[in-house]
Amino acid sequence: QQQVKQSPQSLIVQKGGISIINCAYENTAFDYFPWYQQFPGKGPALLIAIRPDVSEKKEGRFTISFNKSAKQFSLHIMDSQPGDSATYFCAATPDSGGSNYKLTFGKGTLLTVNP
Amino acid sequence: DAGITQSPRHKVTETGTPVTLRCHQTENHRYMYWYRQDPGHGLRLIHYSYGVKDTDKGEVSDGYSVSRSKTEDFLLTLESATSSQTSVYFCAISDLRASSTDTQYFGPGTRLTVL
């Protein structure tokens, strides 16, 4: 069964700190790993994504680290801000022809950044 | 929300009644999806569509049916609602023609309560 295991379930960080969320997968056919950010009352929105040909991808304060041999990937939020408080989902898919349908999601991490 | 609307946004119904949720897109995207989101379970795929009149089951399809008679509309039907179907339902779309950002775009969600 395709699974993506995400931890922790919840995370509290002080403003300016580093938030780290981890995900692990088992299906070696997965080759596209997006992270989604969801604010209360809204739908999830793509935050950043990585393919396994690179070990790290950075966009502003958000970085994905990818370890193919360990089948793990993580999201790092540097200089965390109260506005980053949201639920974060990792996901994975075998990227069949670029359609990335049938994403498998982790169960989510509720991040709270205290001012 | 990338030209995606969901209706209704909120609904309260009674056990045993039929319920239809509508997803409407203005992006002319080929793929459409229905997810449910529950605490502790993240996002789980119910059904998806890869074209007009082409649909397939997802992870949690029991008790749900879908229809897509035109590109822009994807309907989710609960034939006889049960309390276990109380959830937040999200529609998503994606497009093979998206080149640099292969991703799913999510609608604002429908909160369904089955009493």
Side-chain angles (χ1 to χ4, degrees):
Chain A
Q1 184 179 358
Q2 296 182 352
Q3 281 190 332
V4 176
K5 297 182 179 180
Q6 183 172 347
S7 63
Q9 279 188 299
S10 62
L11 180 62
I12 299 175
V13 174
Q14 291 301 119
K15 179 182 177 181
I18 302 173
S19 304
I20 301 174
I21 304 170
N22 301 299
C23 285
Y25 64 98
E26 297 179 355
N27 188 344
T28 55
F30 286 153
D31 60 1
Y32 179 70
F33 303 88
W35 284 88
Y36 283 80
Q37 179 188 55
Q38 183 182 29
F39 294 106
K42 301 291 186 180
L46 179 69
L47 182 64
I48 186 172
I50 196 169
R51 299 185 188 276
D53 53 341
V54 297
S55 60
E56 185 175 283
K57 183 173 182 180
K58 183 176 181 179
E59 291 184 1
R61 296 184 294 108
F62 300 91
T63 299
I64 301 178
S65 297
F66 187 83
N67 186 330
K68 187 174 182 178
S69 61
K71 291 185 286 186
Q72 296 175 346
F73 58 110
S74 59
L75 176 69
H76 297 238
I77 306 174
M78 311 300 289
D79 187 26
S80 299
Q81 299 297 312
D84 297 330
S85 297
T87 300
Y88 292 81
F89 293 95
C90 62
T93 182
D95 188 22
S96 303
S99 66
N100 92 343
Y101 59 95
K102 299 189 75 173
L103 285 169
T104 299
F105 284 87
K107 293 185 177 181
T109 297
L110 178 61
L111 171 65
T112 302
V113 182
N114 289 328
Chain B
D1 291 316
I4 308 170
T5 57
Q6 293 185 230
S7 59
R9 294 293 314 279
H10 302 271
K11 186 171 182 67
V12 179
T13 191
E14 294 186 351
T15 298
T17 59
V19 177
T20 296
L21 308 182
R22 180 182 183 235
C23 177
H24 179 78
Q25 61 146 327
T26 57
E27 306 295 325
N28 199 33
H29 281 12
R30 176 180 175 183
Y31 290 79
M32 298 186 75
Y33 313 79
W34 277 108
Y35 291 89
R36 60 177 291 173
Q37 183 175 25
D38 305 286
H41 290 278
L43 290 152
R44 293 181 291 175
L45 182 65
I46 304 171
H47 282 281
Y48 68 99
S49 169
Y50 47 95
V52 174
K53 298 186 179 179
D54 292 323
T55 65
D56 204 350
K57 296 179 180 180
E59 178 187 355
V60 290
S61 59
D62 287 348
Y64 301 94
S65 63
V66 291
S67 66
R68 191 172 179 196
S69 59
K70 45 187 178 178
T71 299
E72 56 266 36
D73 289 326
F74 193 32
L75 304 180
L76 177 71
T77 297
L78 292 67
E79 300 291 346
S80 178
T82 67
S83 58
S84 65
Q85 294 175 312
T86 292
S87 185
V88 180
Y89 291 85
F90 286 99
C91 174
I93 64 174
S94 70
D95 189 15
L96 272 172
R97 291 168 292 183
S99 56
S100 61
T101 55
D102 293 333
T103 187
Q104 294 184 16
Y105 299 94
F106 284 80
T110 293
R111 182 173 296 276
L112 176 67
T113 302
V114 184
L115 301 175

